[in-house]
Amino acid sequence: MKIVIGRVNETLKVIAKSHNMSIDQLLSVNSHITSANTVVKGQKVKIPSPPKRAMIRKRRQQVQTPIGQFIDACPPEKPPLKPLDNWIPLTTLEEMSQKMYDVIIVGSGAGGGAALWRLCEKWKDSGKKVAMLEAGDLLLQSHAQNLPTFNFERLQRYLLNPNYSHPIGLEWDDFSGATQFFALGGRTIHWGTVSPRLQPEDFKDWPINYHDLSPYYTIAEKIMNVNQLYTRDSALQSVLLERLLQGGFIHAENYPMAVDLDMTKYGKVHSNVFFSSINFLAYALNKTSFDLAVNASVYEVLQENGTACGVKVVSKNNEHYTIKGKTIILAASTFGTTRILLNSAITSPALGHYLANHSFVFANVNTDRSQFPEEVGVAGILIPSSINKPFQLQIQGTDPFNYFWYQFEERPIEPILKLAIIGFGIVESRYENRLSLNYSSVDEYGIPKLKATFSYSERDYQVIEQMTSSLTSAAKEMNVTMDTQPCLFTPGMDQHEFGTCRMGNNPKTSVTNSIGQVHGIDNLFICDNSVLPSIGAANPTLTTVACSIRTVDYIINRYLT
């Protein structure tokens, strides 16, 4: 401790500042001074000795305030964790080849995504190992319509890039509209989100009935946010819907769409409006970890003694790996899964057969804007199929593509409103319609490509005629004008292909049993459109998701027994 003599007009506060001391420290050793503002001219003032080195180090972690007080500095931030190279954690095929997985999922579209989500939800604390293999690359982090930089024209230019979109139908005379899409999330990153259930009568060719699948429909609708609220308060919707109901289309209803329309509340943000399989991956990732590889093309299921034991996969660099697993789920699409199984020497007489789709009729229509209030809104109307009406109609607008989604561009007031009427007709599942391997044409990895044999039956053309007539009648009842006459798209353009790995009770006429398990191989399952025996006239995605959840629940229960 040292002693200083106060100078003219010097206060204790001034001395404290000049010696880098707090006022409380000086007052504690100078009892004869009662205030920091006392003038101490000529008085002895005790100055405490400097703190020891340990105290000096501590003080360096403090911040001095303008009045001379000290406050502890916040501790430094912890070193960052291992950085992520992508927006979703990825695992290399080399790393995956060193592990044994409880379940391997091939494909990340609707069926594969649903399977992953359900497994991770049920196995979150089990330590089970799950792998997902996706042939495509990382493309979008959400449904394309959730991105503000896309209008419809830019979206089409992006998604039709040959790096992702493969018009395989160009090589087929019979199914020339077919397209494969390779990216994480599959087609769900640009699908229309219309999600109706199949009608009870649509299950006549299934080994299960509507009531068997109904609980899984409910689960799927909840996780996908399926509702009929997208067009609420829309004048265009209410007027056109009322005209249809009055005109005899008594089952017309609002679109059921997979859209999250909740507002932000309690700090919970609902900004990811349009559903995609990326949502499934996000839910799964926040339940438990899983291994994901992209640019990983599976081309064969490996078997030992009648049991699936893994898959053969090739990387983008043409490096081949074996990924081992106790259970295999194929969800690589109707085209992808069928090709894998055909290349795996699966001996099923039904494999590849019963290829079906929807007959797809389309017409552009318009209506005078003056018939509607100033705030027109959009229309999304579903007229479902029935026993006597083997097709469904969808009415969408205004401007069915450009203005139906997010609006980030200025919309001019148009005197004429544009809409579209779309018809999906039931197509018979026939053995002669099939996918097979084309050994004379191989891909860049030397794997045989697919070829399609397909034709519409006489019954299919009758449905097309009936559907076209009904489409014209609906236009008349809505008081809209045909811009174009209804036209029939080439087979495959509907992108609703299904049935080539259909489920059934008879192994001679089906590839899987009622749970999606391949006949004769008790640990190989299928969770995509290919397993559906029929889809009526409904968009198939919701049904595929419901079936996938049902299959995974069976797999989980098997692990418990």
Side-chain angles (χ1 to χ4, degrees):
M1 182 178 295
K2 67 179 180 178
I3 297 176
V4 299
I5 303 300
R7 293 177 292 186
V8 177
N9 296 328
E10 196 169 38
T11 63
L12 193 66
K13 183 176 181 181
V14 173
I15 294 174
K17 185 175 182 180
S18 64
H19 287 82
N20 199 26
M21 292 279 178
S22 72
I23 294 172
D24 288 340
Q25 285 178 298
L26 292 186
L27 286 172
S28 68
V29 296
N30 292 280
S31 58
H32 61 291
I33 303 172
T34 59
S35 171
N37 294 317
T38 301
V39 176
V40 292
K41 176 185 176 183
Q43 295 187 50
K44 293 180 180 180
V45 179
K46 297 177 182 178
I47 307 298
S49 300
K52 296 180 180 180
R53 295 183 64 87
M55 293 301 292
I56 292 173
R57 286 196 296 270
K58 182 176 180 182
R59 179 162 293 171
R60 287 173 182 164
Q61 298 173 8
Q62 295 180 326
V63 177
Q64 186 178 13
T65 67
I67 62 172
Q69 298 286 352
F70 285 86
I71 183 171
D72 288 342
C74 293
E77 293 185 6
K78 294 181 180 180
L81 301 174
K82 181 182 177 182
L84 277 176
D85 295 325
N86 299 285
W87 51 267
I88 187 169
L90 297 180
T91 305
T92 67
L93 287 173
E94 185 174 0
E95 290 174 311
M96 293 173 74
S97 68
Q98 305 304 312
K99 301 180 182 181
M100 168 61 79
Y101 290 98
D102 292 284
V103 177
I104 298 172
I105 302 170
V106 180
S108 64
L116 178 68
W117 161 69
R118 193 64 167 176
L119 284 170
C120 291
E121 181 190 50
K122 296 295 186 180
W123 280 352
K124 56 186 174 183
D125 298 316
S126 67
K128 295 283 195 297
K129 292 183 173 64
V130 181
M132 173 173 276
L133 299 166
E134 167 56 47
D137 204 344
L138 302 181
L139 182 60
L140 297 176
Q141 302 176 27
S142 178
H143 189 291
Q145 296 291 357
N146 289 328
L147 304 181
T149 55
F150 282 138
N151 60 15
F152 184 73
E153 182 267 337
R154 286 191 292 271
L155 174 60
Q156 288 296 96
R157 285 166 50 200
Y158 189 63
L159 294 182
L160 293 178
N161 187 316
N163 290 325
Y164 321 121
S165 185
H166 295 222
I168 57 174
L170 295 179
E171 301 179 17
W172 302 338
D173 294 332
D174 299 343
F175 214 67
S176 58
T179 301
Q180 281 185 290
F181 188 80
F182 295 104
L184 189 69
R187 289 175 178 167
T188 68
I189 61 176
H190 62 86
W191 69 309
T193 75
V194 180
S195 304
R197 295 187 179 193
L198 269 63
Q199 302 293 329
E201 60 267 19
D202 295 332
F203 287 81
K204 64 181 184 300
D205 295 326
W206 289 57
I208 60 175
N209 60 39
Y210 177 86
H211 297 291
D212 294 326
L213 198 58
S214 183
Y216 298 97
Y217 270 138
T218 301
I219 296 170
E221 287 164 343
K222 182 177 180 180
I223 193 66
M224 295 170 66
N225 303 304
V226 176
N227 61 77
Q228 294 182 299
L229 300 176
Y230 189 75
T231 56
R232 61 185 166 187
D233 301 326
S234 167
L236 182 67
Q237 175 81 358
S238 60
V239 170
L240 295 182
L241 188 56
E242 181 61 25
R243 290 175 180 175
L244 285 168
L245 294 172
Q246 293 295 327
F249 291 87
I250 59 174
H251 299 296
E253 61 183 15
N254 295 344
Y255 266 177
M257 294 178 65
V259 290
D260 184 355
L261 300 176
D262 283 349
M263 66 175 66
T264 296
K265 190 175 182 181
Y266 306 127
K268 185 178 180 181
V269 179
H270 297 264
S271 60
N272 197 50
V273 176
F274 302 105
F275 187 89
S276 76
S277 190
I278 303 297
N279 295 53
F280 280 137
L281 272 62
Y283 287 132
L285 195 61
N286 286 284
K287 293 295 183 181
T288 188
S289 61
F290 58 88
D291 287 350
L292 168 66
V294 296
N295 295 313
S297 298
V298 173
Y299 59 89
E300 183 180 354
V301 175
L302 299 175
Q303 302 176 65
E304 287 183 0
N305 301 319
T307 299
C309 58
V311 296
K312 294 287 288 183
V313 57
V314 58
S315 72
K316 198 172 183 178
N317 298 325
N318 204 12
E319 298 167 325
H320 295 252
Y321 298 89
T322 296
I323 313 298
K324 300 180 288 294
K326 300 174 184 177
T327 298
I328 313 298
I329 295 176
L330 297 181
S333 80
T334 295
F335 300 130
T337 292
T338 304
R339 187 185 184 202
I340 292 169
L341 291 179
L342 288 170
N343 199 55
S344 304
I346 301 294
T347 56
S348 168
L351 178 59
H353 295 272
Y354 302 101
L355 172 65
N357 69 329
H358 280 143
S359 53
F360 186 10
V361 172
F362 183 92
N364 287 308
V365 300
N366 70 71
T367 184
D368 193 328
R369 193 182 193 284
S370 63
Q371 301 179 48
F372 304 93
E374 183 175 354
E375 282 291 334
V376 175
V378 298
I381 298 173
L382 174 69
I383 305 174
S385 63
S386 62
I387 293 176
N388 297 319
K389 188 165 69 67
F391 55 86
Q392 73 172 15
L393 298 179
Q394 297 179 10
I395 296 97
Q396 185 167 309
T398 58
D399 196 328
F401 305 111
N402 290 323
Y403 289 159
F404 188 75
W405 309 93
Y406 271 132
Q407 308 305 325
F408 286 92
E409 56 189 342
E410 185 176 350
R411 292 181 59 174
I413 297 177
E414 300 284 359
I416 299 299
L417 303 178
K418 301 176 183 178
L419 300 99
I421 307 179
I422 305 162
F424 291 134
I426 294 177
V427 172
E428 289 186 302
S429 296
R430 296 184 294 135
Y431 182 83
E432 54 267 35
N433 287 340
R434 62 178 297 201
L435 297 173
S436 57
L437 292 180
N438 184 2
Y439 291 99
S440 62
S441 179
V442 298
D443 63 16
E444 64 269 34
Y445 307 120
I447 311 301
K449 295 182 180 179
L450 287 174
K451 62 180 178 180
T453 303
F454 183 84
S455 64
Y456 287 134
S457 68
E458 183 177 342
R459 171 60 180 158
D460 296 336
Y461 281 115
Q462 291 173 359
V463 171
I464 292 169
E465 289 183 8
Q466 185 183 355
M467 176 168 53
T468 303
S469 176
S470 183
L471 186 154
T472 304
S473 296
K476 180 180 179 182
E477 296 301 332
M478 289 188 293
N479 193 25
V480 298
T481 303
M482 290 276 191
D483 274 343
T484 59
Q485 289 301 308
C487 62
L488 176 66
F489 279 103
T490 56
M493 286 194 71
D494 58 302
Q495 298 189 14
H496 292 175
E497 61 278 345
F498 67 94
T500 51
C501 301
R502 68 203 314 246
M503 66 169 69
N505 295 322
N506 186 349
K508 293 181 180 179
T509 57
S510 61
V511 177
T512 81
N513 63 15
S514 62
I515 208 70
Q517 181 184 59
V518 174
H519 292 303
I521 307 177
D522 67 357
N523 64 338
L524 178 59
F525 298 84
I526 299 175
C527 286
D528 57 31
N529 286 10
S530 68
V531 80
L532 308 179
S534 62
I535 58 171
N539 311 55
T541 301
L542 180 69
T543 300
T544 292
V545 170
C547 288
S548 179
I549 296 169
R550 181 172 180 266
T551 296
V552 168
D553 280 1
Y554 172 82
I555 293 171
I556 291 169
N557 289 332
R558 262 205 342 176
Y559 269 85
L560 296 176
T561 58

